[in-house]
Amino acid sequence: MSLIERTPHHAPTVVIENFYPTLGDSSYLIKRVVNEPLHVTADIFTDGHVLLCAVLKYRRTNEQTWTEFSMQPRDNDQWAGQCTFDKCGRWEYVIEAWVDNWQTWKKHFKAKFDALDPEIAIEAREGARLLELTADRAKNAGAKNTSKELHELANMLRLLPLEHLIEVLMGDDLQSILDRFPDRTLSTISKSNHATIERERARFSAWYEFFPRSAKNQSGQHGSFRDCLPRLDDAKAMGFDVVYFPPIHPIGMSHRKGRNNTLTAHQDDVGSPWAIGSANGGHRSIEPALGTLNDFEWLVSEAKIRDLDIALDFAVNCSPDHPYVKEHPDWFHQREDGSIRYAENPPKKYQDIYPINFHCADWKALWRELIDVVLFWVKRGVKIFRVDNPHTKPVSFWEVLIAEVQAYDPEVLFLAEAFTKPRMMQGLGKIGFSQSYTYFTWRETKQELTEYATELTKTDMRWYYRANFWPNTPDILPHHLQHAGPAMFKIRAALAATLSSNWGIYSGYELCENQPLPGREEYLDSEKFEIKVRNWNSPDNIKGFIRVLNESRQSNAALQYYDNLHFHAAHHKDIIIYSKTTPDLSNRILIIINLSPSEVASDMVHLDMNALGLSNDAHYHVHDLIHGLRYKWHGASNYVSLDPSATFMHLFRIES
Amino acid sequence: MSLIERTPHHAPTVVIENFYPTLGDSSYLIKRVVNEPLHVTADIFTDGHVLLCAVLKYRRTNEQTWTEFSMQPRDNDQWAGQCTFDKCGRWEYVIEAWVDNWQTWKKHFKAKFDALDPEIAIEAREGARLLELTADRAKNAGAKNTSKELHELANMLRLLPLEHLIEVLMGDDLQSILDRFPDRTLSTISKSNHATIERERARFSAWYEFFPRSAKNQSGQHGSFRDCLPRLDDAKAMGFDVVYFPPIHPIGMSHRKGRNNTLTAHQDDVGSPWAIGSANGGHRSIEPALGTLNDFEWLVSEAKIRDLDIALDFAVNCSPDHPYVKEHPDWFHQREDGSIRYAENPPKKYQDIYPINFHCADWKALWRELIDVVLFWVKRGVKIFRVDNPHTKPVSFWEVLIAEVQAYDPEVLFLAEAFTKPRMMQGLGKIGFSQSYTYFTWRETKQELTEYATELTKTDMRWYYRANFWPNTPDILPHHLQHAGPAMFKIRAALAATLSSNWGIYSGYELCENQPLPGREEYLDSEKFEIKVRNWNSPDNIKGFIRVLNESRQSNAALQYYDNLHFHAAHHKDIIIYSKTTPDLSNRILIIINLSPSEVASDMVHLDMNALGLSNDAHYHVHDLIHGLRYKWHGASNYVSLDPSATFMHLFRIES
């Protein structure tokens, strides 16, 4: 069948292309939060000397009605518009464009009128016909008076001397009426793009991770949810808004790991929470020592009172004791001897973990069950999940899971804990993870930090990858923190909290815990395998500093945006300087940090004044929100001196 | 319905993305010529610690069988492969990727073997199972002996000490057998991309345009096709391979234009060939004064003997006398007084032309008819069409027309004569025009030429836009040629013939015709409106120079590629220097031109030696193919002196 026969009504009349942003495959999701504008451009053109109209149309997936935004032409056939998505969920947006017969007529008519063209009367009748067609559309739309007025104008156009009408015809008032009833019968609609709109916490969040089983803070005692309020209050006092728990489910007994990841556990070893499942249940159950489902729901409600989200860990691992192993052995990888394959990365073995076979014959039931597990916790008030090692499960599985869960409750957010190769990390962002862990933990120098933060916030990654910067995790005590003092812990916290709008720490960071397993990037006596007791008010704690960081973030909207990062110039190798501003420049934050925890750094810094909305010779004040000091600055170049033992950084608000 | 239920067999197991080249919308066509390799890359990755296989698969549209090319991994999850399309037509190419169970098994097995893992026997049985499954696939594919051998090996793997087998198991011989029968049941296939493969003349062509009606070359005499042989021979002698005729159809009488585009024609004025249609017929007919269809077919056959293509002009314009006007008045734009709207760009009027209404109610029949017009001429041996003003007709129309005509005969080529805004020109390339006119005619300075040629050949335009460089056309005598001498005509010819692999001239260029309509970019006494008589051997002709240019193009493959242009450095404002090389560097051409037609330019030029496959301290010869001279050069920097009155350029072949 020829292309002509395949075309249903009319052939495309307008070309719409280079629709931006689009992520290669238009099924990928552009990320925004509620009411955050998305600026859209496209090249829109057609044949001949006609004028076009174009609208950007957007609606929540599966809704009928479009919201429209009138696009405006810019240079070189590019048009611009913006969507503002006012509800959480998946949205679709398209461009509809058509030849604007009235504007085209006006342009031609005016040229002929000015040229005293003898055929102007025929053109006038053409204009009258366009008015009458518009009148009919107005009538169909219920605008009877407008319809009548347009008919009257059409009659005048057919009869009256044109001199009396030309001003009305060319005027904005008439145009605005015509614009309400455009003739779109021959319009062209672009392919669809898709956005996932999440609540603001997807873009702006501060996470605090702790193990509830350590909450009793007494030697040898297993903490429970009922012991967690002091930790919640402490996190809240430090300004965190997401409290994240490692898995809370029953922990397997078979091949349970001992302290420091040893292969044999003692009888009183609590095991790794990531080895999920025992005779007490699986992913829908709670480790009995932590309490009951009621206790958990009570804690979630207490968190809610404090405006804290409780984030759960979704780790699709099973211990050999998980109920699935008996009920669905086919969901795992079978070995030739009939046993189930445990996790391994030869020659390393993880006999306490059975990986799931996501592509088994019964995969549809398996995927359904795993999605239902997440929904089980969503129904109990959990609206954030930190997903463990998503890169070792199919990307397509996460795409389905996130879509289904967010269709049920679009407030639910997902953080991808994928420390792996770049393409996989990006791919997980593209298919819907709300936030992602990053390589920040290993970016140390000014150049490394600048390049990486620029890649995250200035390339196309800004549309789909929301970095969450963690200076530490239970798995990672990076070399620069090992045996380091509070100065280094403050530097890394300040970088994380201001380079990205999302950051988090694993508890103990505020106490500057710094003892590694020798030669490793892991903690000595890791909390993954034992219960910890801490002095939460130890002398060297940096809780006050973290509180000021988070308070600055909360009271300065500029720090709540993700892709507004802008680097400025400093020649000193240890001085990093960057700004974040709100789109309207009403809030402008300038951060200057000495990356050395031991050496004083003093030098001139050079601002990109334009990025800050300042003229090159402006006089302005910078107000350090950490130290409370104000300085008068002038022009782009100013002097700073940053002493690790005192003012090692400035978090300036620019007040001009 | 959930995404799970919508998935038919299995969920995607592999992620394939950043497929390159892709033109935004994957329905757009990547251009190559027959047997020209297309290098393809994509990011291919999956979850977990497994090894992947990927193949690039390509086939002509609507054919069943794929040709496969084994892709190879490069850095950072990027894989590379290449297609070689061995026939003209539309092709589809996709990537298929899957987890390679055998290679994954080998990697894990070897690690366990080396670690003396006590469970190695179970792993061996797993390997035996994979061999048996492969044996079954081999048997199904008719490879009975291979199947038997694999079964035997599997048996040995179950029974024998592994020490005897490890070398065989890990070896390349076995791998290559396994590679022939991969398990693709869980493979993932990317979206399709599309390429249009054309004959070599789409990429490498030299056009000569002349008006057959001037072929008699006697005052007041209308030439016919039977008079054209001397012009064909002259074009052939100059090295051209496409002879392009303005429209050959009956020319309208109503509102016929007189000489120099005047509104009233005298009785003996021949009119513009672009005002098509009279009582003698329309787009399927021939202007009687030019001869008959038989005469035309004779001329096409004579051209074929000379290995010349005759290109026709496809101008979708109708004169008021065109048969369509009576037969299908609804195919035109009706005015309110019942008349048909003539072409205009107010206040300019073109009453000799009725534009077609491509979106009229009867558009399907109209489009069918216009496609059939092209096919009518294809069937009479015309394999190239120069399309007049395609940008004033719907892009979608050309997309359909080119697809249908090339489906009928994939040897047919289309040149878009769109002198308009960039996005439209690019859009016409994307939907299938084989070649396109360009802004070359107005690019004069070194910077303008460098930037423009780089945009055409080094950006994504290289995949879809084949520039055809014309120093002049019957419509355009650019300012730099007006009243200019042979030096300027040679410079512009040399640039056109070497910057692009496609170039062309409108006849008279070789005679350095340089008289404009005063104050315009058009020719005085334009051939568009009258018959011309010329002295084809006038003293100042540059036919010899053009012949050498075209001969150099024919005997140097480097000049036959389009996107192999590379600029080198020269500080002198008038010295432009660039090279073209074959992919294997067996042919290397270096062009150096003095852009000034009057001033001597002498300076050092600095070569990018790497681009020429030369070491930085290489000694090599450069052989000027125009002047026959050889120079010994050394290293990157060498001296040239270019005198407009003598050696104004070098067309060097590098001979090392």
Side-chain angles (χ1 to χ4, degrees), chain A residues 34-179:
Chain A
V34 172
N35 292 323
E36 178 181 24
L38 176 68
H39 297 279
V40 170
T41 56
D43 294 333
I44 304 177
F45 56 90
T46 189
D47 49 290
H49 306 288
V50 294
L51 296 175
L52 294 177
C53 269
V55 289
L56 184 60
K57 299 166 42 155
Y58 44 101
R59 65 181 176 192
R60 287 227 298 176
T61 308
N62 299 328
E63 281 184 7
Q64 289 300 310
T65 318
W66 295 100
T67 301
E68 293 194 352
F69 184 95
S70 178
M71 297 185 79
Q72 297 302 318
R74 306 202 299 197
D75 282 350
N76 206 7
D77 289 325
Q78 191 182 66
W79 292 59
Q82 71 175 55
C83 312
T84 306
F85 307 106
D86 62 2
K87 286 196 191 72
C88 289
R90 301 286 168 98
W91 290 67
E92 177 186 6
Y93 56 103
V94 300
I95 291 169
E96 182 173 358
W98 62 92
V99 174
D100 185 325
N101 289 327
W102 177 253
Q103 290 213 64
T104 302
W105 175 85
K106 270 176 29 179
K107 185 180 104 174
H108 289 198
F109 185 79
K110 185 65 167 45
K112 289 193 169 187
F113 182 83
D114 292 345
L116 305 175
D117 191 304
E119 293 190 312
I120 194 74
I122 298 174
E123 300 301 328
R125 282 156 65 185
E126 181 68 28
R129 194 178 64 85
L130 292 175
L131 289 173
E132 283 154 5
L133 289 169
T134 308
D136 293 347
R137 288 192 296 276
K139 194 175 167 193
N140 289 338
K144 282 192 190 160
N145 285 341
T146 302
S147 176
K148 207 175 140 210
E149 284 166 25
L150 288 171
H151 270 296
E152 282 166 10
L153 182 60
N155 285 338
M156 288 193 279
L157 189 50
R158 289 185 190 278
L159 301 169
L160 270 190
L162 292 168
E163 290 70 19
H164 299 282
L165 284 174
I166 191 77
E167 220 170 291
V168 171
L169 290 169
M170 297 298 133
D172 289 344
D173 289 352
L174 181 58
Q175 184 62 51
S176 70
I177 294 173
L178 273 284
D179 285 344

Side-chain angles (χ1 to χ4, degrees), chain A residues 394-577:
Chain A
V395 174
S396 52
F397 168 70
W398 299 117
E399 187 170 15
V400 170
L401 181 140
I402 296 171
E404 292 223 358
V405 173
Q406 290 189 334
Y408 175 82
D409 184 346
E411 301 271 306
V412 180
L413 307 180
F414 293 89
L415 166 65
E417 188 249 2
F419 290 110
T420 184
K421 292 191 285 179
R423 295 294 167 263
M424 172 59 91
M425 291 173 73
Q426 292 166 351
L428 292 165
K430 287 178 185 173
I431 56 86
F433 273 94
S434 319
Q435 298 184 358
S436 305
Y437 283 72
T438 69
Y439 304 137
F440 164 74
T441 321
W442 301 279
R443 296 293 179 269
E444 300 178 351
T445 66
K446 179 161 78 166
Q447 188 183 344
E448 286 170 353
L449 289 163
T450 304
E451 283 176 6
Y452 189 50
T454 299
E455 182 191 0
L456 290 168
T457 62
K458 293 294 157 202
T459 69
D460 268 358
M461 284 184 80
R462 64 190 282 235
W463 301 117
Y464 63 84
Y465 197 91
R466 289 202 200 94
N468 193 327
F469 278 5
W470 290 70
N472 74 329
T473 77
D475 287 314
I476 312 166
L477 178 67
H479 289 291
H480 53 256
L481 294 181
Q482 295 183 6
H483 311 295
M488 195 56 168
F489 279 78
K490 284 184 185 176
I491 290 168
R492 299 297 297 179
L495 290 168
T498 57
L499 281 169
S500 178
S501 49
N502 296 300
W503 80 299
I505 60 169
Y506 152 57
S507 57
Y509 189 90
E510 69 270 41
L511 309 180
C512 305
E513 291 179 354
N514 62 7
Q515 295 302 304
L517 264 185
R520 304 288 298 276
E521 268 202 329
E522 288 174 46
Y523 281 93
L524 183 67
D525 302 328
S526 167
E527 197 168 5
K528 286 166 67 181
F529 307 102
E530 61 188 84
I531 289 167
K532 303 293 274 190
V533 177
R534 294 178 171 99
N535 174 6
W536 291 109
N537 294 304
S538 68
D540 264 355
N541 83 70
I542 59 166
K543 288 159 75 172
F545 177 73
I546 290 172
R547 181 179 50 71
V548 174
L549 277 182
N550 278 328
E551 278 176 1
S552 300
R553 287 162 46 93
Q554 282 155 14
S555 53
N556 289 279
L559 293 171
Q560 299 167 17
Y561 285 84
Y562 179 70
D563 50 7
N564 61 339
L565 184 65
H566 191 92
F567 284 93
H568 301 259
H571 292 297
H572 193 290
K573 75 174 176 51
D574 287 330
I575 298 180
I576 190 168
I577 172 167

